[in-house]
Amino acid sequence: MLELQSLLKSKTAYAMLFCFPLWSYAQQDVSLEKTLEQDSISNINQLIYFNTPKQYSTASVSKLPGNALASTPVFGYLTAAAGQLSGLKVSQNNGQPLNEDMSYQLRGRPPIILIDGIPRSVTEIGMQEIESISVLKDAVSLAMLGIRGADGAIAIVTKKGYTDRTQINFSAQYGVQKPLQNLIGKPLDAYQYALLYNEALQNDGLSVTNNGFSETALTSFKEGNNPQAYPNVDWAQQVIKNSATVARYNLNTRGGNKYVKYFVNLEHLSQNGLLKSNANNNYSTNTNARGYFVRSNVDVKLSNLLEAGVYIQGRILNANSPGNDGTDNIFQSILNTPNSAYPIHNLDGTFGGSSKFQNNIVAQTNASGYAVANTRTILTDFYLKRSLDDVLKGLWLKARASFFSNLRENYVRNKSFAVFQLMNDDLEAPIYKQYGNNTEQNNSNNIAFQNRSNFQELSIGYSNETEKHGIDLMLLANRDNLVNGSDLPYTVQGISGHAAYHYDNRYLAELSFAVNGANRYPNDGGFKYGTFPAIGLGWNIHRENFLKKYKWISKLKLFGSYGLLGRDNASYYTYMQSYNGTPETFFGSSAGSAATIGESYLANPNPTWAKVKMLNVGIDGALLKDRLIFELTYYKNKYRDLNITRKNNNALLGISYPNENIGKQDYTGFETELGWRNHKSKFSYHAMLNASFQQSKMVYQAEPALPYFWMTATGHPVGQTIGYIAEGLYTNVTELESSPTMEGYSPQLGDIRYRDLNGDGLINQYDQGRIGSEKPQVLLGANLGFSLANIDFSILFQGMINREVYLSGNSYREFNSGTGQAYSTQLDRWTMDNSDAGYPRLSTGSGPQSGAFNNDVYSTFWLRNGNYLRIRNIELGYTLPTALTQRAKIKSARIFANGFNMFTFSSKTFNGADPENFRGLYPIQKVISFGLNIQL
């Protein structure tokens, strides 16, 4: 590898692009050596197994320094990274601490996560542990992963020590969380609900007298004069608090000398839940979460030629919840329970309820006990590296091993409760009927999951740099063995290598490869190996003589790569045909029975891994003395042999078809990064933008021979669904008589009208086509900021364009299961007086004229614009004057205010609801916090 000092001298404008969040931090009085070392992180593509100077790299990598995440008050580092890495899409669908339902995709596929070069399924570690996050997106950077490289990778590098005097850092941050709106429509009050329910009954041809709300009930709901018999309860308000606190504390030390380098970190994050508690309980039923993180990274120089390292990380995650992990049930109950269902408490203090509603929501929250999920993780990495300069200068040998163990244990302390329904109208002598029982607390515990892994690796490398030539070679063999629960071990092993060459700092070439495989293949769990090569070429154009006269061009490079990678997707020994006992079968005239054995599933006798051919080309550069920087990349990834179930299967087979390696999909797109930075005296500012255009296409999934082209998925975006094309509502009799209608249904005024694609006068399955946008989805991110003397400011935007959402279920539609909630959205329903409505006629889902058969089918009517732009993070900081801090023997001190998820600009679809969580789940929070950073 290249000497570190030579790398440190090659500071380029790319430091600006990948370290932009650091610009808003206060300047720190650190040694020149440490400053150069931090800057070198930006100039080097820190890949999984090798590091390449940015100017010599042909790979497509986006990178983010760990300090950009440090003040974001969340558990998951990927949540904090949203909008800051081109090509990476991060979504959060739930706000419950440590149960955020987070998903992440890189160029449309789910990437593998590696921490210090080793695969890990960990998305929560201490923020201050992270030196950098890189997303690897092309064949050269991923080929050494072999059968695990096809979907890209997220590479986390943790902080290490450096040769400098000891530095001690302390930070404290405390904030207030407020829930964001989690529903598009507000639940209706009891009076409005009753009116709409009676109207829906009439629409369905059902009797209001027998099934609906009486005039007495309507009057009582409206006047609120009898809350026991005619309640009006805002259930969300009863169980969700307006705010909760969050706090993070961190203490770390870093330093070393020429013999020992170290980084030690202690971190604690406390996030309180948003559920209301009962002061009479001597335990918490709130959704509180606590995280404790510790890391020690120590590197030791044992001799002039031998060095070693020991990296240890541990974490404890404690998540509390009401009942037996009952948080999701509470929010589902809110969606399924109208305000008029029952009172919170009866006059005698018992919980209200009814035969239909036996889960009192307040009781679910405060009277059903609690559960605690405890996660314990320990990780240890060891390495020995021997320089072989005594044999050949630049030659080295390295061995490393790692052990990982992860366990989650649930402690359940739940109990049940009784509810009582008022059965008469005499409040002086009420009569109640009981449903359910009050029980004592039940104590139990169980192991939710446990996994462990061991990893071994041996590598050898050679580096040499001359005036004209630079070469870097690596060859390694590794083995990763994972045991998940009671499953048999899953092992990936093989060899891989990388070679890099550059001539005269102008012409670049890289070669990566892997020959590896996994052990879940025929026969008897044997290994199946594949070869995965990749090549990359680059050209530093700015070093050519014909461009040297243009002084305004600082850097300009063309680069590209192409290769074959794999995705191991063999299921758990599904190549083995298995059998199980089946129901008895009767034989003979006397109908005697006999036990039988049947196939559990159809085996796939020849499973293999998916393959992808990756093409990546791009240009990057820096202009105007490194003030303007840019990068533009085009990619095309062709996936083949994807593990899918064929679509032309037939139920006559009598058993499910197996997964087969027959699927084909293409993913293409552009990514661009653009930045500007300038500095004048005590004032500096920056603007960094990134955009990703992602498009997918279904190439093959063994579809049956369909009668019409619009019914096929082939040629359309991956995941695009099938449905009817809506053309508005039936608003008059003429439309009812002249328009095609749903087969087997007589439409009513106010029903959704659909397009007859095949022109046969009927609406049926032959009129269902692929619906949804064919445009590429666009991911956006922008970071703007400035610093003026001791003041710094930064703001991060994150958004999506060409995003669509489908509105369905009990969080948007009315009267789910006949008795569920209804929303303000339904106030704009079709009626004879509102023919220009935005919502169809109401229905309870039953009755001779129910509209559910027609209106609840999948169609474009419910497919809406999901675009949004969010102010993800905003921060204002002030660094105390050095003259003041030195009196207290403090090297530097900074105070700051931070806002997370502060504002969102979205389409009118969401009506103010959070664009990621609008289906009534636990609310995502916006957080306002204040903090202090001290360096000793």
Side-chain angles (χ1 to χ4, degrees):
M1 291 186 179
L2 294 173
E3 295 281 346
L4 176 62
Q5 293 300 323
S6 67
L7 298 180
L8 297 179
K9 294 177 182 178
S10 60
K11 295 168 60 181
T12 70
Y14 299 99
M16 293 184 289
L17 179 59
F18 296 116
C19 281
F20 61 80
L22 293 176
W23 298 343
S24 63
Y25 283 20
Q27 293 183 352
Q28 299 179 352
D29 181 17
V30 295
S31 68
L32 176 62
E33 182 177 355
K34 180 193 171 189
T35 302
L36 291 176
E37 186 170 346
Q38 288 181 335
D39 287 348
S40 73
I41 295 171
S42 311
N43 288 326
I44 301 174
N45 276 347
Q46 292 179 299
L47 304 181
I48 301 168
Y49 301 113
F50 59 92
N51 298 333
T52 303
K54 177 72 175 177
Q55 61 178 325
Y56 301 142
S57 176
T58 66
S60 181
V61 179
S62 294
K63 190 171 181 180
L64 183 69
N67 285 347
L69 316 174
S71 56
T72 306
V74 295
F75 276 97
Y77 53 81
L78 291 179
T79 303
Q84 303 192 67
L85 292 163
S86 64
L88 180 65
K89 174 185 175 183
V90 181
S91 300
Q92 180 183 350
N93 302 313
N94 193 314
Q96 183 180 351
L98 291 177
N99 186 32
E100 291 91 351
D101 190 21
M102 182 181 62
S103 63
Y104 46 92
Q105 291 184 325
L106 183 58
R107 290 184 172 177
R109 304 289 299 182
I112 187 174
I113 294 178
L114 301 103
I115 299 179
D116 287 333
I118 301 175
R120 306 291 187 201
S121 57
V122 175
T123 55
E124 299 94 6
I125 64 175
M127 293 293 183
Q128 291 286 1
E129 299 178 30
I130 300 173
E131 183 77 75
S132 67
I133 298 180
S134 301
V135 290
L136 283 53
K137 300 176 281 189
D138 78 305
V140 162
S141 63
L142 294 166
M144 292 182 72
L145 289 172
I147 61 171
R148 295 197 284 192
D151 295 334
I154 300 173
I156 311 298
V157 177
T158 61
K159 292 179 180 178
K160 312 297 190 299
Y162 53 80
T163 305
D164 200 358
R165 71 179 185 85
T166 297
Q167 181 185 103
I168 299 175
N169 299 284
F170 172 77
S171 62
Q173 186 175 2
Y174 184 86
V176 176
Q177 313 166 87
K178 297 187 73 66
L180 297 175
Q181 182 180 326
N182 66 342
L183 284 170
I184 294 174
K186 182 180 178 181
L188 297 179
D189 63 32
Y191 176 67
Q192 289 178 315
Y193 179 92
L195 286 176
L196 267 60
Y197 192 83
N198 286 353
E199 180 183 316
L201 290 172
Q202 292 177 326
N203 292 341
D204 292 338
L206 296 173
S207 169
V208 173
T209 303
N210 296 332
N211 303 287
F213 293 93
S214 66
E215 288 298 325
T216 301
L218 291 173
T219 302
S220 297
F221 286 142
K222 186 174 183 180
E223 297 179 355
N225 54 14
N226 189 354
Q228 282 296 305
Y230 303 100
N232 183 19
V233 182
D234 185 334
W235 292 110
Q237 189 179 66
Q238 293 300 317
V239 297
I240 301 176
K241 298 194 294 187
N242 292 325
S243 64
T245 58
V246 60
R248 170 183 277 134
Y249 304 96
N250 176 269
L251 177 65
N252 67 71
T253 181
R254 194 177 190 184
N257 51 43
K258 63 180 181 179
Y259 300 107
V260 179
K261 300 176 184 178
Y262 57 87
F263 170 75
V264 180
N265 182 72
L266 299 172
E267 189 164 337
H268 170 57
L269 177 60
S270 171
Q271 185 177 359
N272 288 326
L274 291 170
L275 297 183
K276 292 182 178 180
S277 301
N278 189 331
N280 294 326
N281 290 333
N282 57 5
Y283 51 81
S284 175
T285 59
N286 202 353
T287 51
N288 302 326
R290 304 287 184 265
Y292 306 87
F293 307 92
V294 58
R295 174 173 283 277
S296 172
N297 289 350
V298 179
D299 298 278
V300 181
K301 188 173 184 180
L302 301 175
S303 70
N304 289 334
L305 297 176
L306 183 63
E307 61 182 90
V310 179
Y311 305 154
I312 300 175
Q313 193 251 10
R315 66 173 190 169
I316 299 174
L317 301 175
N318 296 335
N320 201 81
S321 62
N324 186 359
D325 195 18
T327 307
D328 288 342
N329 292 335
I330 290 172
F331 283 89
Q332 285 302 310
S333 293
I334 292 174
L335 299 178
N336 290 325
T337 308
N339 292 18
S340 58
Y342 52 84
I344 303 171
H345 294 100
N346 296 308
L347 291 176
D348 60 0
T350 58
F351 287 113
S354 70
S355 59
K356 292 182 179 179
F357 300 98
Q358 298 184 24
N359 280 328
N360 183 293
I361 296 175
V362 172
Q364 280 183 270
T365 308
N366 294 320
S368 59
Y370 69 101
V372 179
N374 292 332
T375 302
R376 306 288 185 266
T377 306
I378 185 70
L379 179 156
T380 55
D381 297 343
F382 310 89
Y383 80 86
L384 278 173
K385 184 176 182 181
R386 172 67 156 83
S387 171
L388 300 177
D389 283 350
D390 52 337
V391 178
L392 176 65
K393 186 173 178 58
L395 186 66
W396 54 266
L397 181 68
K398 182 178 181 180
R400 65 172 176 162
S402 177
F403 303 92
F404 171 84
S405 179
N406 194 30
L407 170 72
R408 173 176 165 178
E409 186 172 9
N410 293 331
Y411 297 91
V412 181
R413 306 291 184 259
N414 66 315
K415 57 185 179 180
S416 62
F417 54 86
V419 298
F420 297 83
Q421 181 179 8
L422 181 65
M423 303 303 294
N424 64 343
D425 294 330
D426 187 358
L427 299 183
E428 297 297 327
I431 299 175
Y432 296 103
K433 184 174 182 179
Q434 179 176 341
Y435 297 95
N437 296 293
N438 293 312
T439 64
E440 296 296 324
Q441 179 174 290
N442 176 51
N443 300 326
S444 65
N445 66 293
N446 61 81
I447 303 299
F449 67 81
Q450 57 180 333
N451 54 55
R452 62 188 186 276
S453 67
N454 58 80
F455 177 90
Q456 303 87 37
E457 183 177 276
L458 180 65
S459 57
I460 186 170
Y462 171 74
S463 296
N464 188 30
E465 184 85 14
T466 64
E467 183 178 351
K468 289 284 187 178
H469 305 276
I471 188 170
D472 192 285
L473 305 174
M474 172 184 279
L475 180 67
L476 62 82
N478 58 25
R479 177 181 183 272
D480 186 19
N481 185 64
L482 172 66
V483 179
N484 192 0
S486 60
D487 288 353
L488 294 174
Y490 172 63
T491 305
V492 176
Q493 64 184 29
I495 62 172
S496 57
H498 176 258
Y501 172 78
H502 64 87
Y503 172 73
D504 197 25
N505 294 325
R506 290 182 293 168
Y507 310 117
L508 321 173
E510 289 187 90
L511 175 67
S512 298
F513 78 93
V515 179
N516 66 358
N519 67 333
R520 289 186 176 170
Y521 291 91
N523 289 316
D524 300 327
F527 281 88
K528 184 174 183 178
Y529 295 94
T531 301
F532 307 96
I535 187 172
L537 299 174
W539 180 21
N540 280 319
I541 310 174
H542 66 281
R543 296 187 180 275
E544 298 291 349
N545 291 329
F546 62 82
L547 277 186
K548 286 184 178 180
K549 62 182 178 180
Y550 299 103
K551 302 300 182 182
W552 55 276
I553 301 178
S554 307
K555 302 286 185 298
L556 189 63
K557 181 180 71 175
L558 288 174
F559 62 92
S561 64
Y562 182 78
L564 174 69
L565 292 93
R567 180 178 190 265
D568 184 42
N569 50 25
S571 300
Y572 191 68
Y573 300 104
T574 54
Y575 61 84
M576 301 174 66
Q577 185 64 62
S578 65
Y579 302 86
N580 62 345
T582 59
E584 292 182 340
T585 300
F586 293 87
F587 294 96
S589 59
S590 60
S593 64
T596 62
I597 294 177
E599 295 168 317
S600 301
Y601 51 81
L602 283 184
N604 177 8
N606 189 32
T608 186
W609 46 79
K611 305 170 185 67
V612 57
K613 294 180 180 179
M614 282 189 174
L615 172 67
N616 191 94
V617 294
I619 181 171
D620 63 37
L623 309 175
L624 304 175
K625 297 182 179 180
D626 294 343
R627 286 178 292 181
L628 177 65
I629 55 179
F630 64 90
E631 181 169 329
L632 177 64
T633 306
Y634 167 80
Y635 67 89
K636 183 169 186 177
N637 299 335
K638 302 177 70 173
Y639 286 82
R640 300 297 182 263
D641 296 338
L642 290 169
N643 194 32
I644 66 169
T645 302
R646 60 176 58 245
K647 300 302 179 182
N648 58 356
N649 53 56
N650 194 316
L652 293 176
L653 183 65
I655 193 171
S656 298
Y657 280 67
N659 279 5
E660 303 172 78
N661 295 102
I662 57 175
K664 300 178 183 181
Q665 299 173 4
D666 288 350
Y667 293 81
T668 59
F670 289 91
E671 292 167 0
T672 180
E673 297 172 343
L674 179 66
W676 176 269
R677 180 201 183 191
N678 204 0
H679 177 82
K680 294 181 180 180
S681 186
K682 294 184 178 181
F683 178 70
S684 63
Y685 63 94
H686 68 269
M688 299 293 157
L689 312 175
N690 70 78
S692 305
F693 300 79
Q694 301 179 349
Q695 180 75 69
S696 64
K697 183 173 73 172
M698 177 63 68
V699 178
Y700 180 78
Q701 60 175 359
E703 289 188 279
L706 297 170
Y708 301 104
F709 70 88
W710 57 77
M711 301 176 67
T712 63
T714 302
H716 296 279
V718 175
Q720 191 178 58
T721 191
I722 191 169
Y724 296 102
I725 299 176
E727 296 189 317
L729 304 177
Y730 290 104
T731 59
N732 55 63
V733 176
T734 302
E735 289 180 342
L736 283 176
E737 294 176 346
S738 61
S739 300
T741 60
M742 186 75 69
E743 192 171 25
Y745 176 77
S746 298
Q748 308 293 313
L749 291 176
D751 282 339
I752 301 173
R753 182 164 46 90
Y754 300 111
R755 184 178 300 173
D756 181 13
L757 294 180
N758 65 352
D760 64 357
L762 293 174
I763 302 297
N764 53 29
Q765 68 269 29
Y766 300 118
D767 299 300
Q768 291 181 323
R770 296 292 155 178
I771 61 174
S773 176
E774 300 278 342
K775 299 178 181 178
Q777 194 170 84
V778 183
L779 312 180
L780 300 173
N783 186 290
L784 314 175
F786 71 86
S787 63
L788 177 61
N790 290 9
I791 299 173
D792 59 84
F793 172 82
S794 66
I795 183 170
L796 172 66
F797 294 89
Q798 177 254 332
M800 294 181 65
I801 299 176
N802 293 334
R803 173 178 181 251
E804 291 182 322
V805 295
Y806 194 79
L807 306 180
S808 63
N810 58 0
S811 62
Y812 186 78
R813 309 278 182 87
E814 77 278 14
F815 312 131
N816 182 63
S817 299
T819 57
Q821 187 60 270
Y823 305 95
S824 57
T825 314
Q826 280 93 53
L827 296 178
D828 186 30
R829 69 208 179 278
W830 180 92
T831 65
M832 293 297 292
D833 298 324
N834 186 26
S835 59
D836 191 27
Y839 197 93
R841 70 183 180 99
L842 299 179
S843 174
T844 64
S846 61
Q849 298 175 2
S850 170
F853 183 84
N854 183 85
N855 299 333
D856 289 355
V857 297
Y858 213 96
S859 76
T860 57
F861 187 89
W862 307 107
L863 196 62
R864 306 292 172 82
N865 183 338
N867 297 345
Y868 72 91
L869 179 66
R870 188 196 296 275
I871 297 181
R872 190 76 175 181
N873 208 307
I874 184 169
E875 185 164 306
L876 177 65
Y878 176 73
T879 301
L880 300 181
T882 304
L884 179 62
T885 57
Q886 285 182 342
R887 295 178 186 175
K889 301 190 181 300
I890 295 174
K891 194 171 186 180
S892 68
R894 176 177 177 267
I895 56 176
F896 65 90
N898 180 278
F900 180 66
N901 283 342
M902 291 301 295
F903 304 101
T904 301
F905 311 95
S906 60
S907 71
K908 63 180 182 180
T909 297
F910 299 108
N911 191 33
D914 185 90
E916 292 183 301
N917 178 13
F918 54 90
R919 294 186 171 92
L921 301 178
Y922 191 106
I924 293 175
Q925 307 88 35
K926 71 175 178 180
V927 185
I928 300 174
S929 61
F930 300 88
L932 170 67
N933 305 125
I934 296 176
Q935 184 182 116
L936 302 178

